[in-house]
């Protein structure tokens, strides 16, 4: 019953965010940190007018800062320009396969329940989990709300990340994101690195504790990842290699072709044992 409520709440929140960029467009974007404080003040007023509680806005936006590490990362995503072999080596593909097989065995009950519910086998989920955070061992060091706020202010993709900021505020409001949370440079959250809007849309309470905790709960993170893939067209029982039915769902996870191929290769090795 709680899961149904979470899904309904997430969909309602997503609908609300869909209308917000137009209203928030008045906040003046910038290409350096000089205008960030003024942007935050203006955005705070607009967000309050769009239904975000003053207490959440005070709690979150009083502690955000312009994140130069986020801007550097946004401008320099070089690993996706590597060849497939170079990418697999850089990401430690063979290590992920070896550890991933152990992870599958150690969490057999969890992966079986996820596959029964969403139709997604362990392999691609473990491949994503391993490549994104080393199975939850390193989820990033940047202040999540500062990272998302910085990209919402930055002119390059302001509308897109303004939606992500609204989603992050809603996650804070419902108790599913700690305002002090730290993660990846673009504001990705948790063990499989979801952007805030994807937590709202695809987040699943995998451990049944009443919250979607992408950081501390591997069950939540992995079930949510399976739900994301299902939401991008995953068909139970179909293949997921290039040219097969479910490869399109993997393409929905990341736009870089080397990343997509790596998920398929690593996943097949893990599922094949």
């Amino acid at each position: 019953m709680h899961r149904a409520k979470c899904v309904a709440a997430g969909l309602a929140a997503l609908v609300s965010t869909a209308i917000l960029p137009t209203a928030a467009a008045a906040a003046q974007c910038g290409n350096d940190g000089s205008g960030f404080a003024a942007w935050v003040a203006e955005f705070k007023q607009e967000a309050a007018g769009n239904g975000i509680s003053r207490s959440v806005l005070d709690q979150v936006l009083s502690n955000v800062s312009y994140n130069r590490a986020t801007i550097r990362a946004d401008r320099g995503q070089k690993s996706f320009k590597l060849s497939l072999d170079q990418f697999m080596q850089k990401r430690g593909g063979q290590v992920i396969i070896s550890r991933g097989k152990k992870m599958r065995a150690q969490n057999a009950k969890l992966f079986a329940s996820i596959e029964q519910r969403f139709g997604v086998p362990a392999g691609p989920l473990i491949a994503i989990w391993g490549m994104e955070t080393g199975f939850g061992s390193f989820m990033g060091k940047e202040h999540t709300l500062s990272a998302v706020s910085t990209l919402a202010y930055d002119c390059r993709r302001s509308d897109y990340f303004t939606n992500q900021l609204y989603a992050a505020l809603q996650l804070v409001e419902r108790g599913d994101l700690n305002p002090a949370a730290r993660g990846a440079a673009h504001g990705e959250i948790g063990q499989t690195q979801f952007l805030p809007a994807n937590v709202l849309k695809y987040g699943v309470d995998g451990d049944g504790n009443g919250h979607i905790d992408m950081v501390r709960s591997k069950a939540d993170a992995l079930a949510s990842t399976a739900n994301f893939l299902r939401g991008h067209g995953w068909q139970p029982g179909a293949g997921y290699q290039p040219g097969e039915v479910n490869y399109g769902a993997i393409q929905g996870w990341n736009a870089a072709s080397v990343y997509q191929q790596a998920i398929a290769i690593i996943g097949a090795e893990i599922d094949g044992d």
Side-chain angles (χ1 to χ4, degrees), residues 12-31:
L14 193 70
V15 169
S16 72
T17 61
I19 65 170
L20 293 177
T22 299
Q28 183 63 49
C29 71
N31 293 311

Side-chain angles (χ1 to χ4, degrees), residues 1-9 176 204-205 208-212:
M1 184 67 175
H2 175 78
R3 291 191 183 97
K5 288 181 179 178
C6 279
V7 170
D176 287 340
V204 172
D205 176 15
N209 73 347
H211 284 284
I212 299 170

Side-chain angles (χ1 to χ4, degrees), residues 191-205:
Q191 298 195 33
T192 55
Q193 301 284 272
F194 268 45
L195 285 170
N198 282 333
V199 180
L200 284 181
K201 188 172 184 180
Y202 300 108
V204 172
D205 176 15

Side-chain angles (χ1 to χ4, degrees), residues 96 99 103 128-139 191:
I96 292 172
R99 287 192 60 198
M103 288 289 184
I128 290 169
W129 190 22
M131 282 201 293
E132 292 287 357
T133 65
F135 309 105
S137 64
F138 182 71
M139 289 176 270
Q191 298 195 33

